[in-house]
């Protein structure tokens, strides 16, 4: 009975092995297909062979993020130009025709009048906060009744007025605060543009290394599959000569099926990595079916990092530092303005007017008695009086306003000062964050550098162990399971070594991003988009600070 049961079990195992072999056939065909697919990438005439520098340059010219940030920079530049509208000349004009008729109760009241007037004026704000206005008035008035002496009357007048704040709203920095803040914003946007370039280069390099890893990982799995199939072949030979039991073929076939499954996933990872790189390069859709074959391989190039020097270099290079400095300067300007708004109002007002009058009137004798003769003069006579300064008038006034409690202005001043102090604390926090990031990146480089030596030694030992284990198997001193386990250890050690080398190169790229010299490493000279041309109105006053709240520091982004 025991022999019959044993025979039944052997038959069942043989049937299971046959079924497994039948299941392996389509899987093997699928594996051969994906293997041929990746092997054919390098031979495909449409394949895109890319070096890392080619990928980086393509991304910098085509990446959507770079293009979007370029628009942001130009928008900020136009915002700066728009702030100069504060100093625009504002011209105004008015032409009017009017008639008026009304009942009167006195011979000295006019019963009707007709007038025509054309007036114009120009006004402008100046950097000290003052405002001037030049006005010119012209009119012709005809009157019926009322004992009017000049009828029709031509009037012309020139008005000059100037108002200058002496306390609140006084000062070049106060008046031009919008321009200075817009210029700081442009500098911040320029730093953001540099950041986008650095991030794009870093992302492209990471994606390029991921693609190299994915393709190399396919090769490692193929080698593992070759070993598993070779072990299956050797086992089948031993079965054929009676040196091994028929059931020994099961374990190699299980390993082959498992490895083929890993190969399918590895090939899919290649396509995923290609798509990530295509998106960063912003390739046209028509080229997305082209395989991307890296023209470079990864290697281990040791580097020495001096931590303190690396941190200092990062503090000099990183755009975040200049951006935070400009943001702090903007808050300083706002605090300056808020302080100015707590002052009393003290405005100086100046005015100077000229007038001229001409028209149709009665001639008077020496005693001032009308002779009955009509004397006529025209508009040109009124202009002559204007030019001759015949009828000048002027005024000087001082307007004073003293806030009693001034609660809102004082609260806004304190809030602005606190914002400024907070920004200075954020500057220190930014420095700290950059230092930590650099130190972490440097340690990652050192860690992967040491890992490479360990994984390389493990891989070399695993290769020797596989050879020794296969010789023992050929001599009948070990089992299929042990041979396949040792082969899997070799595959794992090769993957770990590859991960260490690729990880080291990615860590080096991340280190250069943290230090801020990644563009220099790739030979890319940073060139900001074309800077907007600022109007030169009152630019000679930029160097002065009328409120003496501290020297005005020009940033590198200023012209």
């Amino acid at each position: 009975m025991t022999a019959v049961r044993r025979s039944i079990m052997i038959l069942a195992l043989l049937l299971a092995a046959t079924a497994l072999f039948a299941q392996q056939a389509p899987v093997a065909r699928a594996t051969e297909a994906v293997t041929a697919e990746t092997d054919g990438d390098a031979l495909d005439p449409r394949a895109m062979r890319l070096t890392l520098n080619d990928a980086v340059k393509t991304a910098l010219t085509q990446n959507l993020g770079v293009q979007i940030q370029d628009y942001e920079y130009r928008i900020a530049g136009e915002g700066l130009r728009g702030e100069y509208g504060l100093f625009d000349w504002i011209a105004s004009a008015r032409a009017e025709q009017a008639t008026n008729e009304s009942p009167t109760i006195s011979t000295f009241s006019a019963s009707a009048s007709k007038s025509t007037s054309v007036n114009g004026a120009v006004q402008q704000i100046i950097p000290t906060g003052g405002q001037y206005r030049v006005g010119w008035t012209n009119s012709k008035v005809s009157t019926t009744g009322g004992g009017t002496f000049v009828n029709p009357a031509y009037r012309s007048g020139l008005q000059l007025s100037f108002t200058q704040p002496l306390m609140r709203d006084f000062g070049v920095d106060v008046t031009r605060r919008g321009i200075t803040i817009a210029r700081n914003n442009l500098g911040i946007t320029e730093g953001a543009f540099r950041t986008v370039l650095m991030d794009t280069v870093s992302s492209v390099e990471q994606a390029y290394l991921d693609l190299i890893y994915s393709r190399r990982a396919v090769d490692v799995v193929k080698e593992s599959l070759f070993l598993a199939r070779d072990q299956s072949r050797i086992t089948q030979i031993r079965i054929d000569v009676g040196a091994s039991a028929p059931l020994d073929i099961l374990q190699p076939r299980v390993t082959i099926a498992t490895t083929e499954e890993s190969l399918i996933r590895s090939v899919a990872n290649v396509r995923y990595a290609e798509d990530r790189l295509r998106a960063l390069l912003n390739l046209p859709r028509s080229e997305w079916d082209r395989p991307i074959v890296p023209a470079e391989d990864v290697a281990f190039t040791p580097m020495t990092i001096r931590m303190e020097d690396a941190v200092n270099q990062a503090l000099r290079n990183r755009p975040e530092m200049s951006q935070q400095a400009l943001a702090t300067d903007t808050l300083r300007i706002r605090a300056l303005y808020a302080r100015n708004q707590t002052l009393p109002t003290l405005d100086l007002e100046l005015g100077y007017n000229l007038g001229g009058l001409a028209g149709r009137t009665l001639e008077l004798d020496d005693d001032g008695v009308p002779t009955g003769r009509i004397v006529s003069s025209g508009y040109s006579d009124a202009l002559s009086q204007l030019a001759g300064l015949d009828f000048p008038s002027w005024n000087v006034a001082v307007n004073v306003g003293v806030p009693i409690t001034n609660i809102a202005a004082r609260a806004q001043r304190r809030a602005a000062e606190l914002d400024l102090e907070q920004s200075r604390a954020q500057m220190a926090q930014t420095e700290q964050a950059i230092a930590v990031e650099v130190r972490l990146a440097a340690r990652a480089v050192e860690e992967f550098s040491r890992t490479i030596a360990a994984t390389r030694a493990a891989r070399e030992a695993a290769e020797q162990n596989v050879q020794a284990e296969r010789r023992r198997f050929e001599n009948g001193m070990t089992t299929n399971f042990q041979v396949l386990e040792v082969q899997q250890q070799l595959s794992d050690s090769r993957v770990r070594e590859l991960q260490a080398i690729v990880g080291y190169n990615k860590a080096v790229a991340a280190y250069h991003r943290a230090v801020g010299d990644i563009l220099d490493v790739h030979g890319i000279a940073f060139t900001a988009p074309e800077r907007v041309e600022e109007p030169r109105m009152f630019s000679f006053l930029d160097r002065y600070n009328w409120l003496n709240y501290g020297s005005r520091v020009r940033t590198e982004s200023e012209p």
Side-chain angles (χ1 to χ4, degrees):
M1 184 65 180
T2 305
V4 173
R5 183 177 301 173
R6 185 182 300 112
S7 299
I8 294 174
M9 292 179 60
I10 293 174
L11 179 60
L13 290 174
L14 290 173
L15 291 174
T18 303
L20 178 62
F21 180 77
Q23 292 174 359
Q24 282 185 326
V27 175
R29 286 194 295 270
T31 305
E32 295 299 333
V34 296
T35 302
E37 178 184 349
T38 54
D39 289 343
D41 285 351
L43 302 177
D44 190 340
R46 299 183 66 251
M48 183 181 300
R49 298 187 60 84
L50 278 180
T51 65
L52 178 57
N53 284 336
D54 290 339
V56 167
K57 291 178 181 178
T58 302
L60 292 183
T61 56
Q62 297 182 184
N63 182 268
L64 290 176
V66 175
Q67 296 177 23
I68 291 171
Q69 192 58 44
D70 177 68
Y71 283 113
E72 290 289 339
Y73 182 83
R74 287 191 281 175
I75 291 171
E78 295 304 322
L80 173 57
R81 282 180 55 85
E83 289 295 333
Y84 279 90
L86 173 69
F87 298 131
D88 277 346
W89 285 280
I90 300 177
S92 59
R94 177 183 175 86
E96 181 180 11
Q97 178 79 38
T99 59
N100 181 35
E101 296 183 6
S102 61
T104 62
I105 58 174
S106 171
T107 57
F108 295 100
S109 300
S111 61
S113 65
K114 182 178 181 181
S115 63
T116 301
S117 62
V118 178
N119 305 321
V122 175
Q123 62 186 31
Q124 184 187 29
I125 295 175
I126 63 175
T128 58
Q131 179 173 315
Y132 68 85
R133 184 179 187 277
V134 179
W136 186 19
T137 59
N138 304 274
S139 65
K140 174 186 177 183
V141 180
S142 300
T143 306
T144 301
T148 304
F149 185 67
V150 179
N151 190 25
Y154 296 94
R155 290 183 179 275
S156 184
L158 183 64
Q159 297 86 35
L160 306 176
S161 64
F162 178 71
T163 302
Q164 174 61 57
L166 300 178
M167 297 187 73
R168 184 186 297 181
D169 296 328
F170 170 75
V172 173
D173 281 356
V174 171
T175 306
R176 292 173 56 94
R177 68 187 182 280
I179 295 175
T180 309
I181 290 174
R183 188 179 291 134
N184 286 347
N185 290 339
L186 182 62
I188 292 172
T189 309
E190 182 176 323
F193 185 80
R194 182 182 177 90
T195 299
V196 168
L197 293 182
M198 294 169 62
D199 288 342
T200 300
V201 172
S202 177
S203 298
V204 169
E205 187 166 5
Q206 298 288 333
Y208 189 87
L209 292 171
D210 284 340
L211 180 57
I212 291 177
Y213 170 78
S214 299
R215 286 193 173 276
R216 288 280 301 274
V218 169
D219 294 336
V220 171
V221 177
K222 286 179 180 179
E223 292 174 1
S224 178
L225 181 60
F226 172 78
L227 290 176
R229 288 174 174 172
D230 192 51
Q231 183 65 22
S232 176
R233 179 186 61 81
I234 295 173
T235 302
Q236 187 62 50
I237 292 174
R238 290 177 58 85
I239 292 173
D240 293 341
V241 299
S244 295
L247 295 180
D248 289 346
I249 198 64
L250 293 178
Q251 187 62 44
R253 289 177 178 174
V254 170
T255 302
I256 289 173
T258 304
T259 308
E260 287 174 339
E261 178 187 359
S262 299
L263 180 59
I264 293 172
R265 287 198 302 267
S266 298
V267 172
N269 290 334
V270 171
R271 301 311 177 206
Y272 296 148
E274 286 179 331
D275 281 349
R276 288 195 295 271
L277 188 57
R278 290 184 184 108
L280 288 169
L281 302 182
N282 191 27
L283 296 178
R285 289 186 180 180
S286 59
E287 296 187 2
W288 275 57
D289 61 338
R290 295 177 61 187
I292 299 179
V293 179
E296 300 177 13
D297 201 355
V298 288
F300 172 55
T301 305
M303 64 182 301
T304 302
I305 299 175
R306 298 183 59 182
M307 195 73 74
E308 192 63 28
D309 293 343
V311 171
N312 292 333
Q313 183 181 2
L315 295 179
R316 290 192 304 269
N317 293 345
R318 291 283 289 266
E320 295 94 320
M321 295 302 298
S322 62
Q323 288 177 298
Q324 187 61 47
L326 290 171
T328 301
D329 187 63
T330 294
L331 293 176
R332 179 190 67 83
I333 295 167
R334 288 176 175 164
L336 180 151
Y337 176 72
R339 182 189 309 181
N340 174 266
Q341 294 304 292
T342 62
L343 299 175
T345 298
L346 179 62
D347 296 342
L348 174 65
E349 297 179 359
L350 303 176
Y352 185 80
N353 301 320
L354 294 172
L357 175 63
R360 187 175 179 185
T361 183
L362 294 174
E363 183 182 45
L364 302 179
D365 59 16
D366 295 338
D367 296 329
V369 178
T371 63
R373 181 182 175 189
I374 296 177
V375 178
S376 297
S377 57
Y379 176 66
S380 59
D381 295 302
L383 293 178
S384 298
Q385 295 171 16
L386 220 63
L389 310 180
D390 292 348
F391 301 100
S393 61
W394 58 271
N395 69 289
V396 177
V398 176
N399 180 31
V400 180
V402 180
I404 303 301
T405 56
N406 210 16
I407 295 175
R410 291 180 179 178
Q412 291 171 1
R413 168 186 173 178
R414 183 56 183 157
E417 290 172 347
L418 290 174
D419 282 343
L420 180 58
E421 292 174 9
Q422 181 187 51
S423 182
R424 288 169 177 164
Q426 289 172 342
M427 172 71 81
Q429 185 182 48
T430 301
E431 292 180 1
Q432 183 184 76
I434 290 176
V436 171
E437 184 180 349
V438 171
R439 294 174 70 86
L440 289 175
R443 288 197 182 98
V445 172
E446 182 180 0
E447 176 186 351
F448 277 106
S449 177
R450 294 177 178 177
T451 304
I452 288 175
T455 55
R456 181 171 294 170
R459 187 258 305 162
E460 292 172 351
E463 289 175 343
Q464 297 173 0
N465 194 21
V466 166
Q467 295 175 0
E469 196 68 21
R470 295 188 72 174
R471 283 196 297 269
R472 286 195 293 269
F473 177 77
E474 292 171 359
N475 295 324
M477 300 172 61
T478 186
T479 64
N480 251 331
F481 178 80
Q482 291 172 318
V483 172
L484 293 171
E485 184 178 16
V486 170
Q487 289 179 352
Q488 185 60 44
Q489 291 175 355
L490 172 60
S491 178
D492 294 342
S493 65
R494 284 172 173 170
V495 170
R496 286 195 294 271
E497 181 185 17
L498 177 61
Q499 288 175 338
I501 295 175
V502 173
Y504 173 80
N505 283 270
K506 294 177 72 172
V508 170
Y511 167 78
H512 287 300
R513 173 62 184 89
V515 172
D517 64 349
I518 190 169
L519 298 180
D520 298 332
V521 168
H522 289 278
I524 300 169
F526 171 69
T527 303
E530 185 178 354
R531 190 179 181 88
V532 65
E533 182 179 354
E534 296 184 42
R536 307 308 300 173
M537 301 168 65
F538 302 110
S539 59
F540 66 94
L541 292 175
D542 281 358
R543 66 178 65 91
Y544 299 112
N545 187 320
W546 292 73
L547 288 178
N548 197 27
Y549 283 169
S551 60
R552 185 177 189 279
V553 180
R554 296 175 67 87
T555 64
E556 292 182 0
S557 62
E558 293 188 42

